[in-house]
Amino acid sequence: MAVKGKRQVPHVLAVPFPAQGHVLPLMKLCRRIASRGIKVTFVNTEYIHAKVLAAMSEDDKKQNPIQLISIPDGLPAEDDRSVGFELMESVRRTMPENLSNLIKKINGRNSDEKITCVIADITVGWIFDVTQKLGAESVAFQSAPAAGMAMILQIPKLIQAGNLDINGSVMKNELINLSDNIPPWRRNKLSWSFPGDLKTQTIVFECFMDAAKTAHHAKWLLCNTFYEIESSACNLIPNLLPVGPFLSTNKSKSSSIGGSFWQEDTTCFSWLDEQPIGSVIYVSFGSIAVFSQDQLNELALALELSGRPFLWVVRSNLANGSHVKYPNGFQERVSKRAKIVEWAPQEKVLAHSSIACFLSHCGWNSTMEGLSTGVPFLCWPYFSDQFHNQNYICDVWKIGLRLNPNKNGLRSRHEIMTKIEMLLSDYGIKANAVKLKEMALKSVSGYGSSSQNFETFIDSLKN
Ligand code: UDP
């Protein structure tokens, strides 16, 4: 029994959206919260929970300070979770009740361990209606840039002004501009744009409209960014606490913080150790992007023709859902200077001294990881906020170059090779990348802006 008048011990329940780019950063944030002696319970969907546990070593499970639990996602076990909108609809239909039952169960077990705060991904922020009724404080979490959130908050105004229709399609062929210091958004390049797939776009757009309400109602909106790189966007969001970049505190090469859906291939490190300093092209497109076999052939041949060492993350579904077929003889020809893995310990790979550049899809987590390690980018965005992140990288921070598609929509081997050479001989870009790395590390250390914001949040959890 809790003693009357006694302050409730903080207990955070973290609820990510069930996708890799949302689970990992929330896990990193939770690790930091737990390191301050605060109890954290992390609730994944059963499907994701199984993946996360399967990817963790027994030692990592034992040492994990966070309790990992699960609830159903509402889809039958055999269903394909890669069809995003079905998963989104199902989670939305079933999560509020599942979560409510879970919180009641936890709260009923021991009154000293009641859930005091729910940190939910902004895309599942509608659960706050339920969690608030159970006495928990609402904190929203955004794994994308503050600019993306600022844009989402503008949706009602943009609809009213006739810039957007109710499906999120751009009505006027104009750039959408929020501030002089934030790159403008183009038609079909918004976070919710799915050109040619109106059904998915409409569901994602509705989700963002809900996120706008959530952001207003939550006590804080924690974002994986830092004030110095997105000050204009941060200033547009009243309850925003930029607390990023979310860097892993665990530097050990043999252990991971948990949250990956695939087992990290740690053989990368011995291979990287053998490569000259600043020589390796690291190629990774995150967890969702897929490409045609023709496009992957161009990329493979460009990496071969570059003559440089490369580490390429090739997920088993990278070729439009299937295994990649390499060009004839490719693997033999590059075997002395190439490493191909299914999933890399990315953050630690990027921090390795042998890395020269990052050929990336510009997912926000990858963007923050590359930026925090001072690595220049070759940008190849795939969907959602990745186009906007590319604009930040190339036009605002000037730490990378675009890989442009040709008239057939392919990034040709010639384009890729040319840009690799241009990037690696551009000392201005490298100098900017090093400067941004220093800014990022400063923001999360000592009296840095993100560090202070994090303290504000911890104080509010405890009081
Ligand atoms: N990642 C990883 N190993 C890989 C590829 C990616 O650990 O081989 C991690 C990466 O460090 C990042 C996340 O997966 O934290 C991907 O998130 P991001 O926002 O970059 O892209 P998304 O997967 O959401 O498209």
Side-chain angles (χ1 to χ4, degrees):
M1 280 281 289
V3 182
K4 203 171 173 217
K6 186 178 145 193
R7 182 168 293 152
Q8 190 72 48
V9 179
H11 182 178
V12 169
L13 185 76
V15 190
F17 180 78
Q20 181 69 94
H22 296 250
V23 171
L24 260 178
L26 186 56
M27 184 65 83
K28 286 183 186 171
L29 175 70
C30 285
R31 284 274 190 156
R32 244 175 108 195
I33 296 170
S35 75
R36 303 298 292 271
I38 292 170
K39 186 173 169 66
V40 183
T41 300
F42 197 97
V43 54
N44 274 310
T45 62
E46 284 168 358
Y47 178 77
I48 301 296
H49 182 67
K51 277 177 167 269
V52 166
L53 289 188
M56 282 173 91
S57 70
E58 288 310 312
D59 278 353
D60 286 344
K61 281 182 211 161
K62 275 189 219 132
Q63 284 156 22
N64 191 355
I66 295 170
Q67 196 191 359
L68 304 178
I69 57 169
S70 63
I71 53 172
D73 62 15
L75 290 177
E78 64 283 4
D79 269 25
D80 177 7
R81 265 91 179 154
S82 63
V83 187
F85 66 84
E86 280 177 11
L87 179 63
M88 280 171 104
E89 276 180 338
S90 176
V91 165
R92 191 183 180 115
R93 204 175 52 248
T94 57
M95 195 187 258
E97 193 182 340
N98 288 335
L99 212 60
S100 166
N101 292 339
L102 176 78
I103 295 175
K104 282 181 194 157
K105 202 164 123 195
I106 296 173
N107 288 354
R109 254 196 323 246
N110 178 351
S111 59
D112 274 345
E113 294 204 350
K114 277 188 172 180
I115 303 293
T116 55
C117 169
V118 173
I119 306 181
D121 196 285
I122 192 91
T123 52
V124 296
W126 28 261
I127 62 163
F128 288 147
D129 283 346
V130 173
T131 57
Q132 266 164 354
K133 283 189 194 126
L134 296 169
E137 194 161 78
S138 308
V139 172
F141 166 74
Q142 153 90 335
S143 59
M149 195 63 233
M151 178 63 163
I152 288 168
L153 293 177
Q154 290 298 316
I155 290 175
K157 277 192 193 153
L158 292 167
I159 294 178
Q160 213 178 16
N163 293 84
L164 291 178
D165 69 9
I166 51 157
N167 302 314
S169 299
V170 176
M171 306 284 285
K172 300 175 186 168
N173 201 5
E174 290 168 2
L175 296 176
I176 300 182
N177 223 324
L178 294 191
S179 142
D180 285 348
N181 300 319
I182 304 175
W185 281 264
R186 281 174 198 285
R187 193 188 181 89
N188 290 340
K189 295 282 188 286
L190 292 137
S191 303
W192 54 82
S193 295
F194 283 85
D197 181 359
L198 195 60
K199 182 168 182 184
T200 301
Q201 176 170 306
T202 306
I203 293 170
V204 175
F205 187 59
E206 278 170 10
C207 188
F208 281 129
M209 288 202 278
D210 286 346
K213 288 182 209 142
T214 304
H216 286 304
H217 293 147
K219 177 166 186 191
W220 304 112
L221 171 59
L222 302 177
C223 187
N224 182 13
T225 190
F226 58 106
Y227 185 79
E228 290 74 11
I229 49 160
E230 285 207 272
S231 54
S232 299
C234 293
N235 291 340
L236 294 171
I237 309 169
N239 55 345
L240 184 84
L241 282 182
V243 287
F246 296 163
L247 303 177
S248 160
T249 43
N250 175 356
K251 303 285 176 227
S252 156
K253 287 180 179 162
S254 59
S255 70
S256 78
I257 60 145
S260 272
F261 294 2
W262 293 270
Q263 211 163 8
E264 293 172 354
D265 189 332
T266 50
T267 62
C268 291
F269 296 120
S270 49
W271 182 83
L272 287 170
D273 287 345
E274 287 165 12
Q275 310 308 317
I277 289 180
S279 67
V280 175
I281 305 165
Y282 173 59
V283 186
S284 164
F285 299 103
S287 60
I288 297 172
V290 289
F291 302 95
S292 69
Q293 186 56 56
D294 283 351
Q295 178 59 89
L296 291 165
N297 289 346
E298 287 301 305
L299 172 57
L301 292 173
L303 291 171
E304 180 182 347
L305 290 167
S306 76
R308 295 177 182 271
F310 62 90
L311 169 57
W312 184 8
V313 178
V314 181
R315 296 188 331 267
S316 58
N317 62 351
L318 192 63
N320 280 338
S322 303
H323 283 279
V324 172
K325 293 190 194 77
Y326 299 103
N328 259 343
F330 167 78
Q331 280 166 294
E332 296 74 50
R333 291 194 301 273
V334 298
S335 63
K336 290 216 168 59
R337 58 179 171 87
K339 174 93 178 156
I340 296 180
V341 296
E342 196 179 352
W343 194 249
Q346 177 163 300
E347 196 190 321
K348 291 173 196 161
V349 161
L350 285 167
H352 196 280
S353 59
S354 67
I355 298 295
C357 66
F358 184 8
L359 197 166
S360 170
H361 71 310
C362 308
W364 186 247
N365 295 296
S366 296
T367 301
M368 291 304 280
E369 288 157 8
L371 185 151
S372 309
T373 44
V375 176
F377 285 82
L378 284 168
C379 299
W380 186 331
Y382 176 71
F383 81 144
S384 191
D385 59 358
Q386 294 158 14
F387 294 96
H388 198 257
N389 304 341
Q390 166 180 252
N391 295 341
Y392 261 144
I393 290 170
C394 299
D395 305 334
V396 180
W397 308 326
K398 300 190 191 326
I399 57 170
L401 297 175
R402 291 181 172 80
L403 291 173
N404 294 316
N406 61 20
K407 59 179 186 328
N408 302 321
L410 288 186
R411 268 89 178 171
S412 70
R413 69 192 83 165
H414 177 73
E415 166 72 3
I416 301 168
M417 272 176 57
T418 310
K419 291 289 169 63
I420 290 174
E421 293 314 316
M422 274 173 74
L423 184 76
L424 297 184
S425 55
D426 192 323
Y427 297 104
I429 288 184
K430 181 66 194 165
N432 290 340
V434 170
K435 205 167 89 194
L436 277 193
K437 169 188 170 176
E438 281 160 9
M439 280 165 68
L441 298 184
K442 192 170 166 205
S443 76
V444 287
S445 63
Y447 293 102
S449 59
S450 285
S451 182
Q452 289 193 38
N453 288 336
F454 186 68
E455 291 310 315
T456 303
F457 174 61
I458 294 290
D459 284 350
S460 92
L461 274 181
K462 289 183 172 170
N463 296 311

